[in-house]
Amino acid sequence: MADMLELGAVEARAALDAREISAVELTSAYIAAAEDTAGLNNYVALTAEHALEMAAASDARIATGEAGLLEGVPIGVKDLFCTAGYTSTACSNILAGFTPTYESTVTANLWREGGVMLGKLNCDEFAMGSANETSAYGPAINPWQTADGADLVPGGSSGGSASAVAARSALLATGTDTGGSIRQPAAFCGVVGLKPTYGRCSRWGIVAFASSLDQAGPFSRNVADNALMMQAMAGFDPKDSTSADVPLQDLSAALTRGVGGMKIGIPAEYVLDGMDPEVVTIWQQGQDWLRAAGAELVDISLPHTKYALPAYYIIAPAEASSNLARYDGVRYGKRVEAESLDEMYALTRAEGFGEEVQRRIMIGTYVLSAGYYDAYYLKAQRVRRLIRNDFDTAFENVDAILTPATPSAAFPVGRKVDDPVTNFLNDVFTVPANLAGLPGMAVPAGMNGDGLPLGLQLLARPFDEATLYAAGQVLEDAAGFIANPPRRAGGVS
Amino acid sequence: MTSNLVSGATGDWEVVIGLEVHAQVSSNAKLFSGASATFGADPNQNVSLVDAAMPGMLPVINHECVRQAVRTGLGLKAEINLVSVFDRKNYFYADLPQGYQISQFKQPIVGEGTLRIDLPDGSSRNIGIERLHLEQDAGKSMHDQHPSKSYIDLNRTGVALMEIVSRPDMRSSIEAAAYVRKLRSILRYLGTCDGNMEEGSLRADVNVSVRRPGEALGTRTETKNLNSLRFIQQAIDFEVTRQIEIIEDGGEIDQETRLFDTTTGATRTMRSKEDAHDYRYFPDPDLLPLVIPQDEVNELAAALPELPDQIKDRLIGDYGLSAYDAAVITEERETALFYEAASAGHDRKLVANWMTVELFGALNKSGQTLTECNITPERLGGLVGLISDGTISGKIAKDVFAVMFETGGDAASIVEEKGLKQVSDSGAIEALIDAVIAENEDKVLEYRAGKDKLFGFFVGQVMKQSGGQANPGMVNQILRTKLDG
């Protein structure tokens, strides 16, 4: 039943409530789709049996009128989230086979609202990467293709999530975003991804990468579905000390608000030398759409933008070097036996962690070392403050900011890069929002000449996700983008 | 005050000591997890997901531990920092599951304060407190359970500690011991740490250096994890001797961390400065800065109990006790409360004397604690009351006390029951004296001829005849009148 896969989450909810379809049927269709598209390697664990049990329970609740917000909606979960009884490995060898006894707050919220867990999705190892190529399970593949048929990366780190939602093997998916890990893959795969305000979604039960930057968020094929999922997953959690006790806005209501009278900032510093002209064009197009819908466009300056990437690549590895110290072979996960404790540590971590993770642990260890701390970490934290100040100043005059989501479209798997820094440039437009703790949304806006999707990014004030949904819906309506990647379930290949 | 200088082969040396005391916070739960913080459970029974550093687990501050730290800070007359920051101290060890200890590095919860120490000669001295911060305890590694593996017990992992750092203000091992004794006393008065050194609730790291009087500070060593007053003194004395010998032999002190061997009383190198960890401290991004409202500090300050120094000053100033007795009585809160209750309405000095000599002596002998023994404050007060009003003599009182301690009961009934009441009837005493004089005419003549020493003989005879119950003062007076007559 291929057309069932074309329903959005809001539409599927309506069809389920109207008994036009059952949750078990919908879930079965998604399990089949995941099996069909297994070549995309976007699932690292498909939990079909569990999914069907959850779906049957959803059908029972629908029958008794107890349906939750996401009742019967099949959802894929990034492998960074701990799911009780199901492997949760952060796509790292060091956590191979790790099966937690506990459920992350975000996924527990989704299941409480009736969501159905399809399985665990591929991602970069410990969410470190922008192409899903650092995963211990091998790269996830983008369902979009260019004419030459080469495998393209789905972006990262939440590459499996974006790939699965675009390929119709998950109706919704969770992601995490530390420097763009939701928004960049969403743009690469032509789906909608939201990084909420820092503190909106609990980090409890999510494998930590960089604690002060990590935020969980939703992936969906349209803006309305995204709002539905966000409404279910967000919320204050006393188990996360950085969780914010700020009431969530009515996000679905925001979808029809429009942008009339809204002031949208266009930051001068986001025009980069040598930027892909098609990215420039789509950005201009987005501005025109918003203006046409009644928004006022305002030129703004975010003067410290150019320091964001260097600051990010100090702060994130610094926190990661400490967060990943617990993977030591002593209590759980991989252990390489050795004669001494130090040797056991060294062998376990050398075998357990991939190259990119090791690189970042070493960078992080270095920047926190005595004698370097002030020059690197402390200075990066000052830059972070200045970047936040830039945004605070800008938001005195504008309600939202529009930028490109990425400097380019998706690129081929295995693209040779001599300099790891080139890979870091993928995050240039997304990193500032993490440093400042702001909410940001990637919305598909069109295609480039090669037939690949391009996305726009909207940023708003802290805790004002509603404005992102209002403006995102306007962009979606104006773009009329249809996400039909060739390698989707029921697609051409 | 006596000089604290130590004489070496080449002249005098001044000893400089600073202490870092780790005091386990009295609380039901750990600092950042809900697991029980009680001592003595089977290995790995009090371990939460957070303590075991499972993936995705996050710390949440136990506010009671914060309040305990603030109470302690107030008790040390220290500055309370309304904003403080938790940092991560990064190092790898098998009993440190997170790979870092959450501690406070740059911005501790409590700043500078003072501690007044009481020295054996009755004098007092102020020692500076540099800071107090909250931190997690580590787990326990056991290397003797298996031929090739170590066992790890995480029960203690994450238990809240207060690290209390002194200024290098102490000049002898006696002062260092007095410092720990007083600190322990204050913590126990406040109820913020049980002070149980045997169970490891209170342990000290001692920093020791020596220098020529008036010169700049010498290089110090740090001896870790001393868990008794005796070990603290031994370790310091050993270090002082060792350091002076090295310097006098032309050597230099290495700045290093040392371990104390409890069987030999010696210290030995644990790790040198070159091997020192780089802890890579940085603010813990899982925790927001700790903010305490001034109102809460005020509320805690208002509820603080009277502390040993205040009570001691009162006992000296208002009751006229000696500094020594006042210090002994106020070291433990139970003792001070006992004394206050026992001495109310009685001769305060006399009660203090009976407590520090008879009662403490009896307790020492029996091995009982104050709360376990048969003597209640009311009973001790009652006994002293009988002495003061002349009902019994001090000598008889000792016998009464022995009975009270052995069997319970109050002094008045024992005196009544055993007929120990002092005889103060002058007619009765005169009759006794007349009898003794009549029986010892030859001695009376000797006395009157100038053998003064015999007076004691007559007193003894009269007291003997009275069964010890005659009022000794009256016996003296009447006897003198009659003999010298």
Side-chain angles (χ1 to χ4, degrees):
Chain A
M1 204 182 162
D3 43 339
M4 209 188 287
L5 299 177
E6 295 306 317
L7 296 173
V10 173
E11 295 164 333
R13 280 295 309 120
L16 286 162
D17 281 348
R19 318 285 180 84
E20 290 162 15
I21 56 171
S22 74
V24 168
E25 285 168 348
L26 185 63
T27 298
S28 303
Y30 270 95
I31 292 168
E35 285 164 351
D36 280 356
T37 56
L40 296 176
N41 194 34
N42 50 30
Y43 276 90
V44 297
L46 193 62
T47 55
E49 197 179 322
H50 180 58
L52 290 169
E53 284 168 15
M54 289 182 90
S58 282
D59 280 330
R61 281 192 292 271
I62 291 168
T64 55
E66 297 166 278
L69 276 178
L70 295 171
E71 199 67 60
V73 174
I75 301 171
V77 176
K78 188 180 185 180
D79 204 33
L80 218 61
F81 291 78
C82 288
T83 45
Y86 298 94
T87 53
S88 306
T89 73
C91 291
S92 177
N93 279 325
I94 209 156
L95 280 173
F98 175 70
T99 306
T101 57
Y102 48 93
E103 187 77 28
S104 83
T105 299
V106 161
T107 49
N109 289 347
L110 295 174
W111 316 146
R112 193 192 58 223
E113 290 295 339
V116 170
M117 181 169 94
L118 285 169
K120 304 303 286 289
L121 296 167
N122 206 343
C123 60
D124 280 299
E125 184 182 3
F126 283 103
M128 296 179 192
S130 307
N132 211 129
E133 291 180 296
T134 70
S135 167
Y137 296 93
I141 309 299
N142 195 324
W144 292 88
Q145 270 181 320
T146 47
D148 64 8
D151 282 349
L152 299 181
V153 303
S157 66
S158 312
S161 304
S163 167
V165 170
R168 315 297 198 265
S169 62
L171 179 40
L172 300 171
T174 67
T176 61
D177 189 317
T178 305
S181 282
I182 289 175
R183 290 159 291 158
Q184 185 255 17
F188 275 17
C189 293
V191 298
V192 179
L194 176 84
K195 181 203 96 76
T197 309
Y198 185 78
R200 265 286 187 229
C201 289
S202 170
R203 294 185 296 111
W204 193 89
I206 302 173
V207 173
F209 163 14
S211 311
S212 75
L213 300 160
D214 296 345
Q215 257 300 288
F219 279 96
S220 62
R221 292 199 283 274
N222 63 55
V223 174
D225 286 2
N226 205 278
L228 179 70
M229 182 170 174
M230 179 60 187
Q231 202 85 47
M233 71 192 278
F236 173 64
D237 180 5
K239 290 189 288 188
D240 174 359
S241 307
T242 63
S243 172
D245 196 0
V246 178
L248 191 63
Q249 298 149 304
D250 184 341
L251 302 177
S252 295
L255 296 170
T256 54
R257 204 205 284 166
V259 293
M262 201 184 273
K263 285 185 175 178
I264 311 267
I266 308 299
E269 291 78 7
Y270 281 56
V271 182
L272 302 180
D273 288 343
M275 190 155 70
D276 181 347
E278 290 182 301
V279 170
V280 178
T281 304
I282 205 86
W283 188 15
Q284 188 56 55
Q285 181 68 68
Q287 296 173 40
D288 294 343
W289 287 330
L290 291 171
R291 190 185 292 112
E296 182 190 340
L297 297 179
V298 182
D299 287 330
I300 60 165
S301 174
L302 299 167
H304 297 93
T305 299
K306 66 179 167 189
Y307 303 114
L309 216 47
Y312 172 83
Y313 277 100
I314 289 168
I315 293 167
E319 293 182 9
S321 70
S322 176
N323 282 336
L324 270 59
R326 65 186 56 197
Y327 308 110
D328 57 6
V330 174
R331 298 167 311 286
Y332 52 80
K334 186 184 183 70
R335 176 195 290 189
V336 180
E337 297 290 348
E339 289 304 303
S340 74
L341 183 63
D342 284 347
E343 198 188 346
M344 191 273 278
Y345 286 149
L347 294 175
T348 299
R349 289 166 65 84
E351 280 190 26
F353 291 135
E355 194 184 339
E356 184 62 26
V357 172
Q358 292 189 22
R359 176 175 11 258
R360 297 198 196 190
I361 289 173
M362 284 189 282
I363 292 170
T365 304
Y366 179 81
V367 299
L368 289 176
S369 298
Y372 300 99
Y373 179 86
D374 290 3
Y376 290 102
Y377 185 79
L378 216 53
K379 187 166 269 184
Q381 289 290 18
R382 283 196 207 105
V383 169
R384 184 176 188 174
R385 184 70 241 170
L386 293 173
I387 286 166
R388 173 66 189 253
N389 291 348
D390 282 357
F391 281 110
D392 287 348
T393 306
F395 283 123
E396 286 173 12
N397 298 311
V398 300
D399 303 301
I401 293 169
L402 181 73
T403 77
T406 55
S408 72
F411 48 82
V413 172
R415 180 182 67 166
K416 287 281 172 281
V417 280
D418 299 331
D419 179 4
V421 174
T422 309
N423 277 338
F424 297 171
L425 283 175
N426 279 297
D427 305 325
V428 66
F429 297 136
T430 48
V431 152
N434 297 86
L435 290 172
L438 306 176
M441 176 186 280
V443 187
M447 311 260 253
N448 70 5
D450 296 329
L452 298 180
L454 290 173
L456 290 171
Q457 173 179 238
L458 287 161
L459 303 173
R461 295 183 185 100
F463 303 106
D464 188 17
E465 282 80 4
T467 290
L468 297 179
Y469 284 103
Q473 186 63 57
V474 167
L475 289 176
E476 181 176 275
D477 291 344
F481 177 81
I482 299 167
N484 277 337
R487 296 174 73 178
R488 71 184 185 277
V492 289
S493 49
Chain B
M1 204 170 71
T2 53
S3 163
N4 276 321
L5 296 183
V6 176
S7 35
T10 60
D12 284 347
W13 295 91
E14 185 180 32
V15 179
V16 177
I17 302 162
L19 292 181
E20 293 167 23
V21 171
H22 291 89
Q24 181 179 327
V25 175
S26 294
S27 67
N28 295 325
K30 295 181 179 182
L31 184 53
F32 294 110
S33 86
S36 168
T38 49
F39 176 84
D42 285 341
N44 295 312
Q45 293 309 297
N46 296 339
V47 185
S48 74
L49 295 169
V50 175
D51 305 324
M54 301 303 283
M57 291 300 100
L58 298 172
V60 176
I61 186 82
N62 173 354
H63 201 69
E64 182 50 26
C65 296
V66 173
R67 293 167 66 87
Q68 293 287 55
V70 171
R71 284 188 188 104
T72 307
L74 292 167
L76 298 172
K77 300 185 198 72
E79 180 190 349
I80 306 300
N81 294 324
L82 300 181
V83 179
S84 63
V85 173
F86 284 105
D87 296 286
R88 290 186 184 177
K89 180 180 181 179
N90 294 283
Y91 66 95
F92 283 95
Y93 201 62
D95 59 24
L96 186 74
Q98 296 168 135
Y100 52 85
Q101 175 195 36
I102 305 177
S103 180
Q104 297 189 302
F105 184 50
K106 283 191 182 161
Q107 290 174 261
I109 184 167
V110 175
E112 291 195 39
T114 4
L115 186 80
R116 194 174 85 183
I117 60 173
D118 301 314
L119 295 166
D121 66 0
S123 68
S124 289
R125 205 157 96 67
N126 282 335
I127 304 297
I129 301 284
E130 189 178 304
R131 57 184 282 162
L132 175 156
H133 69 253
L134 280 168
E135 64 182 27
Q136 296 176 302
D137 204 350
K140 199 166 103 187
S141 294
M142 287 168 282
H143 304 296
D144 54 359
Q145 311 280 310
H146 185 279
S148 61
K149 293 186 190 298
S150 294
Y151 284 12
I152 308 293
D153 178 3
L154 297 181
N155 281 350
R156 230 170 56 189
T157 302
V159 165
L161 301 178
M162 295 179 282
E163 179 170 326
I164 303 160
V165 183
S166 83
R167 294 266 171 216
D169 287 351
M170 286 155 275
R171 293 293 173 266
S172 69
S173 60
I174 290 170
E175 289 189 357
Y179 171 87
V180 175
R181 186 179 288 118
K182 180 48 109 22
L183 179 58
R184 181 175 175 276
S185 163
I186 289 176
L187 294 170
R188 287 168 57 86
Y189 266 73
L190 293 167
T192 57
C193 168
D194 66 22
N196 194 326
M197 298 189 79
E198 278 167 28
E199 289 178 4
S201 298
L202 195 79
R203 349 190 250 274
D205 301 343
V206 299
N207 288 284
V208 178
S209 64
V210 297
R211 65 175 172 191
R212 294 292 187 190
E215 287 188 1
L217 287 174
T219 304
R220 68 187 162 86
T221 62
E222 180 183 21
T223 305
K224 292 209 111 43
N225 244 341
L226 301 164
N227 68 348
S228 82
L229 292 175
R230 191 162 60 88
F231 295 158
I232 290 169
Q233 283 190 255
Q234 280 181 353
I236 292 169
D237 292 340
F238 183 88
E239 267 308 280
V240 169
T241 309
R242 188 185 70 89
Q243 292 186 14
I244 290 173
E245 275 174 17
I246 289 174
I247 300 171
E248 289 189 334
D249 287 350
E252 281 183 5
I253 302 303
D254 295 325
Q255 188 181 331
E256 61 182 5
T257 305
R258 298 179 69 85
L259 279 178
F260 178 71
D261 186 327
T262 54
T263 49
T264 62
T267 70
R268 62 186 151 84
T269 301
M270 178 177 155
R271 57 171 181 262
S272 70
K273 194 187 179 187
E274 291 74 42
D275 300 329
H277 291 297
D278 180 353
Y279 290 118
R280 291 172 283 122
Y281 283 100
F282 75 108
D284 191 330
D286 285 333
L287 293 161
L288 301 175
L290 179 60
V291 179
I292 311 160
Q294 182 65 53
D295 286 354
E296 190 175 0
V297 176
N298 296 345
E299 171 220 316
L300 291 169
L304 231 50
E306 198 182 14
L307 291 173
D309 288 342
Q310 293 164 272
I311 303 179
K312 186 183 163 197
D313 290 348
R314 204 156 45 74
L315 300 192
I316 297 170
D318 295 355
Y319 303 163
L321 301 198
S322 71
Y324 177 81
D325 278 358
V328 169
I329 285 171
T330 54
E331 183 171 333
E332 294 286 348
R333 184 153 187 262
E334 293 69 39
T335 317
L337 291 176
F338 187 105
Y339 171 75
E340 292 274 12
S343 67
H346 297 292
D347 181 333
R348 300 279 189 180
K349 283 171 85 166
L350 196 54
V351 173
N353 201 34
W354 272 82
M355 246 184 107
T356 55
V357 180
E358 296 300 327
L359 180 53
F360 287 178
L363 290 175
N364 256 342
K365 238 184 258 171
S366 74
Q368 285 173 299
T369 65
L370 191 55
T371 42
E372 285 164 0
C373 79
N374 280 326
I375 307 293
T376 62
E378 293 69 33
R379 285 173 187 168
L380 185 67
L383 177 67
V384 172
L386 294 182
I387 303 168
S388 299
D389 68 12
T391 306
I392 54 175
S393 68
K395 191 166 176 297
I396 290 288
K398 287 188 184 185
D399 300 335
V400 176
F401 177 84
V403 177
M404 287 166 70
F405 192 83
E406 198 60 42
T407 63
D410 64 282
S413 347
I414 293 167
V415 167
E416 191 64 43
E417 209 176 287
K418 305 204 179 246
L420 298 173
K421 224 171 191 169
Q422 181 163 269
V423 177
S424 298
D425 171 351
S426 58
I429 294 173
E430 256 181 79
L432 283 171
I433 290 173
D434 289 344
V436 168
I437 289 175
E439 280 169 31
N440 295 286
E441 297 225 332
D442 48 341
K443 296 238 166 40
V444 173
L445 289 174
E446 281 179 58
Y447 174 82
R448 287 191 175 143
K451 207 170 177 186
D452 290 351
K453 277 190 244 168
L454 278 171
F455 187 75
F457 163 80
F458 291 108
V459 174
Q461 287 300 307
V462 176
M463 292 307 287
K464 192 178 169 190
Q465 293 298 321
S466 77
Q469 283 167 271
N471 181 326
M474 291 177 73
V475 171
N476 264 302
Q477 196 203 334
I478 299 171
L479 194 58
R480 207 166 285 282
T481 323
K482 294 217 178 236
L483 288 173
D484 296 353

